[in-house]
Amino acid sequence: MSSVLMDLDEFDLNSKEPITEPERQYYFMAKCREWVRNKEKEINRPLTFSVVTFGCQMNAKDSEKLAGILEQIGYHQIEGEEADFVVYNTCTVRENANTRVYGRLGYLNSLKRKNPNMMIALCGCMMQEDAVVDKIKKSYRFVDMIFGTHNIFKMAELMHTRIHSKTMIIDIWKDTNLIVEDLPSERKYKFKAGVNIMYGCNNFCSYCIVPYVRGRERSRNPEDIVKEVKELVADGVIEIMLLGQNVNSYGKSLEEKTTFAGLLKLLEEIEGLERIRFMTSHPKDLSDDLIEVMKNSKKICKHLHLPVQAGSTNVLKKMNRSYTKEDYLSLVDRIKTAMPDISLTTDIIIGFPGETEEDFLETLEVVEKVRYDSAYTFLYSKRSGTPASVMENQVEELVAKDRFDRLLKVVQKISSEMTARVAGNVEEVLVEEINGQDPSLMTGRLSNNILVHFKGSEEQIGKIVKVKLAECKGFYYMGELCN
Ligand code: SAH
Ligand code: SF4
Ligand code: F3S
C-alpha cells in the first residue's frame, strides 16, 4: 500500500533543484527514476530493491518510508537480498544487533560481485556511531551509501549523488530539529499502520544508546498526526500503532502544549478507525489522565507495554529511570483498578552493573506481583559512550545468564497463566493473515495483542470478526469463528 503526495511527472528535470522539503526530495526521486528507466532499457530487465530492517518498530516504520521512496524511483520490491538496491536499516541497542549486521555484510559483498548494477546502502541507528562508520570506510569498501537516522528522507538525493560520483557517499547528521512530512511510504499491511508521533528521546537511561543515535525528543504537531491517520483510514486502515520512545511525554517539545491523553482523544473521534495501540510508555510520565482516557475509550486497546527494566529501586536509580519499585507497583495498581482486564507487558534487563542477587530477587518479586502477559528479557549489553559502560561491578556473564534463565522460567509460567485467563470467551479479533503453517487457518489478534488461529477465509483479512477462544496453547489460542 503506498501513499504519495506529489506527481513526479510535474518536475522539469532540467531546472535547478528546489530548496524546500519535501519538494526537493520529490525532484531527486524524479531524477533517479530517469536513471533507473535508462538502466532498465540498457540491461533489459526491471530493477529490484529490498529493505532489511533490524531493531524496533521505529526502524520498521522508517523502512516503510525508504521503500516508498525506492518505489517512486522505479525499483520493484522483492524479499531477500538478491536485489539491485539493498538497504540495511540497522539497530545498535545491544551489541548482538551490530554483530548481525557485520555478519551479513560479507554475504552482500558476494552478491555484489555477481551483480555490477547492485547498490548497497546502510542507514539507521548503528550508522550514528563514529566507530562503526570508520570500520565500514576501512573494511567494507563495497558499500555505496551510508546515512543515519536523521536524514533518511534524503535517500533519493544521496542516491543521485552516488550515481554521479565514484566514491562511497557518507552523510550522517549529529542531531536535527527537522521533521519532514509528506514523503512517500509503502505500508506492509493494508489494514494496519504505524504512525510516528514523536522522534528521539531525552531520558538518557544510563544503559541506553538510543538518545545518542536518535537525537533529542521532537513531537509532531497534533494536526499533522490527525491528518495522516485520516488519510490512512481513507486508505483502508482500521488499526494504528502510535510510535515513540516515550509516548507519555508527547507534546512537551511543542510550542502549544498538548498531552498524549489529549492526542488520543482527538484520534478517538476519527470515524472508521477501530483500534488504537501505542508504544512505548515510560512509567515515570504515565498520567492519571491517560488511564482515564484509556478506560473510557472504545478504540484504545486494553494493552500497555510498560517497561520496568529492573525491580530494585537501587538499580532503577543507577539506571536513571526516575521511579522506584514502589512507584511502579502503585502505578500498576492504579491501572489495574481502572481496567481490571488490561494486559500488561514489559522489558527487563538482567545483569546491569552492580546488580546483586538481592536486586535480582526484587525483579522476580515485581514480575510475580504484576503478572505480565509477556515480558521481553534482555541480558545487559555494554554500549560505549553510555554512563553504565564505565560503572563499577559489571556482572559476570555466567551469573547474569543464570539469573536470566531463572527469570525466563517465572515469566513464561505467569505468561501462560495470564494468556489462559480469557479461555472460553468470545472476543473481537482483527484478522491479519493466512497462517504460515496451515493455510486453512487464519491468524488474528485480540485487543490485548494475543494471537489466535481459527478456520476462516482469506476475505476476512483486515476485518474484525468474533472468535471463541476455544483452546489455550500457552502463548496463543486456537479459536472458532462465531457467525
Ligand atoms: N524507549 C523504550 C525502550 C527502547 S529500547 C523504553 O524506554 O521503554 C527497548 C529495550 O531494549 C529497552 O526497554 C531495554 O529493556 C532494552 N535495552 C536498551 N538498552 C539496552 C542495553 N544496553 N542492554 C540490554 N538491553 C537494553
Ligand atoms: Fe532508551 Fe530510556 Fe529513552 Fe527508552 S526511555 S529509549 S530505554 S533512554
Ligand atoms: Fe534499535 Fe534504534 Fe530502535 S537502536 S531499538 S532501531 S531506536
Side-chain angles (χ1 to χ4, degrees):
M1 292 298 106
S2 57
S3 62
V4 187
L5 281 304
M6 273 179 209
D7 183 356
L8 297 195
D9 290 327
E10 279 174 17
F11 286 91
D12 171 6
L13 296 186
N14 297 316
S15 68
K16 240 182 109 47
E17 64 266 24
I19 299 194
T20 51
E21 301 291 6
E23 294 80 0
R24 182 179 172 90
Q25 295 313 313
Y26 280 92
Y27 168 89
F28 282 112
M29 283 176 229
K31 282 278 214 193
C32 291
R33 188 176 67 168
E34 194 186 32
W35 181 86
V36 165
R37 282 177 178 166
N38 289 334
K39 194 66 161 176
E40 287 185 338
K41 271 191 212 133
E42 184 190 315
I43 61 175
N44 202 22
R45 65 169 178 84
L47 290 183
T48 57
F49 81 90
S50 173
V51 182
V52 181
T53 311
F54 300 80
C56 67
Q57 307 239 17
M58 307 274 169
N59 259 19
K61 175 72 191 176
D62 284 347
S63 289
E64 292 187 351
K65 296 178 186 169
L66 296 169
I69 295 172
L70 287 163
E71 292 247 321
Q72 282 300 295
I73 292 176
Y75 284 98
H76 303 271
Q77 187 159 22
I78 59 160
E79 295 288 321
E81 283 126 301
E82 291 189 33
D84 299 296
F85 196 114
V86 175
V87 191
Y88 274 3
N89 191 8
T90 62
C91 169
T92 184
V93 75
R94 286 169 291 275
E95 187 59 35
N96 56 8
N98 296 41
T99 317
R100 276 171 63 211
V101 169
Y102 288 127
R104 276 167 82 159
L105 275 176
Y107 171 58
L108 274 196
N109 191 20
S110 69
L111 292 178
K112 194 170 179 177
R113 284 209 206 98
K114 286 186 245 160
N115 178 3
N117 297 303
M118 185 172 176
M119 279 201 226
I120 298 172
L122 303 181
C123 66
C125 298
M126 204 176 143
M127 301 305 131
Q128 293 292 139
E129 292 178 275
D130 296 340
V132 170
V133 175
D134 287 345
K135 182 164 169 170
I136 291 166
K137 275 201 289 200
K138 224 186 271 153
S139 312
Y140 300 86
R141 295 293 318 158
F142 55 90
V143 171
D144 294 281
M145 290 154 52
I146 305 178
F147 50 101
T149 53
H150 303 301
N151 56 349
I152 60 154
F153 71 91
K154 260 186 84 177
M155 187 174 57
E157 182 172 347
L158 297 175
M159 177 181 167
H160 182 258
T161 317
R162 173 69 183 125
I163 292 169
H164 297 285
S165 117
K166 289 278 162 280
T167 55
M168 187 191 282
I169 305 297
I170 301 174
D171 190 12
I172 313 282
W173 299 1
K174 279 290 148 226
D175 202 351
T176 185
N177 46 26
L178 204 65
I179 297 180
V180 180
E181 300 281 349
D182 293 337
L183 278 163
S185 178
E186 179 66 29
R187 288 204 316 278
K188 198 166 161 205
Y189 296 97
K190 183 177 168 29
F191 52 88
K192 64 171 186 176
V195 175
N196 296 113
I197 63 166
M198 58 206 298
Y199 301 94
C201 181
N202 283 354
N203 291 306
F204 290 95
C205 302
S206 62
Y207 50 83
C208 184
I209 200 161
V210 171
Y212 305 90
V213 296
R214 286 270 171 183
R216 294 294 58 72
E217 186 177 293
R218 310 171 297 286
S219 295
R220 285 176 73 195
N221 286 318
E223 307 84 66
D224 290 329
I225 298 169
V226 169
K227 175 171 163 265
E228 179 178 340
V229 175
K230 281 186 174 161
E231 283 163 3
L232 287 168
V233 170
D235 202 28
V237 165
I238 59 171
E239 175 178 305
I240 54 164
M241 165 77 91
L242 306 173
L243 299 172
Q245 291 300 351
N246 175 10
V247 291
N248 297 329
S249 70
Y250 170 77
K252 286 188 183 159
S253 63
L254 293 173
E255 248 163 55
E256 207 170 297
K257 292 274 176 285
T258 50
T259 62
F260 183 53
L263 176 70
L264 285 171
K265 278 195 208 153
L266 290 178
L267 297 173
E268 177 97 19
E269 300 295 308
I270 297 177
E271 218 165 294
L273 181 63
E274 309 239 11
R275 279 184 174 179
I276 304 173
R277 300 186 185 278
F278 54 83
M279 72 184 308
T280 297
S281 272
H282 194 307
K284 80 179 163 71
D285 299 310
L286 200 152
S287 67
D288 287 336
D289 261 3
L290 174 63
I291 298 176
E292 201 54 29
V293 169
M294 277 186 90
K295 180 182 166 182
N296 297 326
S297 166
K298 293 197 172 52
K299 299 185 177 176
I300 303 172
C301 291
K302 296 288 182 288
H303 169 215
L304 259 178
H305 185 63
L306 197 61
V308 63
Q309 312 297 3
S312 127
T313 296
N314 189 21
V315 173
L316 287 168
K317 199 165 178 203
K318 285 194 217 147
M319 285 180 160
N320 192 28
R321 289 291 287 182
S322 314
Y323 53 85
T324 63
K325 173 186 179 186
E326 290 70 30
D327 293 337
Y328 186 89
L329 289 174
S330 105
L331 175 63
V332 166
D333 259 354
R334 291 204 299 281
I335 296 168
K336 284 189 173 173
T337 307
M339 295 168 281
D341 57 344
I342 189 110
S343 223
L344 290 173
T345 57
T346 202
D347 294 345
I348 299 168
I349 297 176
I350 288 298
F352 182 82
E355 181 192 75
T356 61
E357 177 64 17
E358 288 69 40
D359 292 326
F360 169 69
L361 292 177
E362 290 198 74
T363 300
L364 279 186
E365 184 195 332
V366 169
V367 167
E368 272 157 357
K369 282 204 165 126
V370 177
R371 298 186 59 77
Y372 296 105
D373 281 61
S374 68
Y376 296 93
T377 50
F378 305 107
L379 274 174
Y380 167 72
S381 168
K382 199 193 256 194
R383 308 315 289 132
S384 60
T386 61
S389 68
V390 290
M391 281 181 189
E392 288 173 356
N393 303 323
Q394 301 276 332
V395 177
E396 261 177 62
E397 207 178 317
L398 277 180
V399 174
K401 281 209 173 117
D402 172 63
R403 288 179 191 158
F404 185 88
D405 293 343
R406 283 151 67 201
L407 172 69
L408 202 62
K409 277 201 192 111
V410 177
V411 159
Q412 285 176 343
K413 178 171 170 286
I414 294 175
S415 173
S416 63
E417 287 166 10
M418 291 307 283
T419 307
R421 83 195 147 134
V422 283
N425 288 8
V426 171
E427 299 268 347
E428 291 196 334
V429 171
L430 171 54
V431 188
E432 299 200 337
E433 58 202 1
I434 302 174
N435 185 296
Q437 265 125 52
D438 179 351
S440 74
L441 297 178
M442 303 304 294
T443 297
R445 216 175 271 276
L446 306 183
S447 162
N448 68 8
N449 221 22
I450 293 176
L451 286 179
V452 53
H453 310 288
F454 60 96
K455 287 236 176 300
S457 63
E458 208 175 330
E459 300 82 69
Q460 287 156 344
I461 293 178
K463 301 207 170 79
I464 291 182
V465 298
K466 290 220 152 108
V467 174
K468 180 166 187 207
L469 303 177
E471 196 185 346
C472 181
K473 293 279 197 182
F475 308 107
Y476 64 93
Y477 273 94
M478 297 307 293
E480 290 155 12
L481 188 67
C482 304
N483 294 313

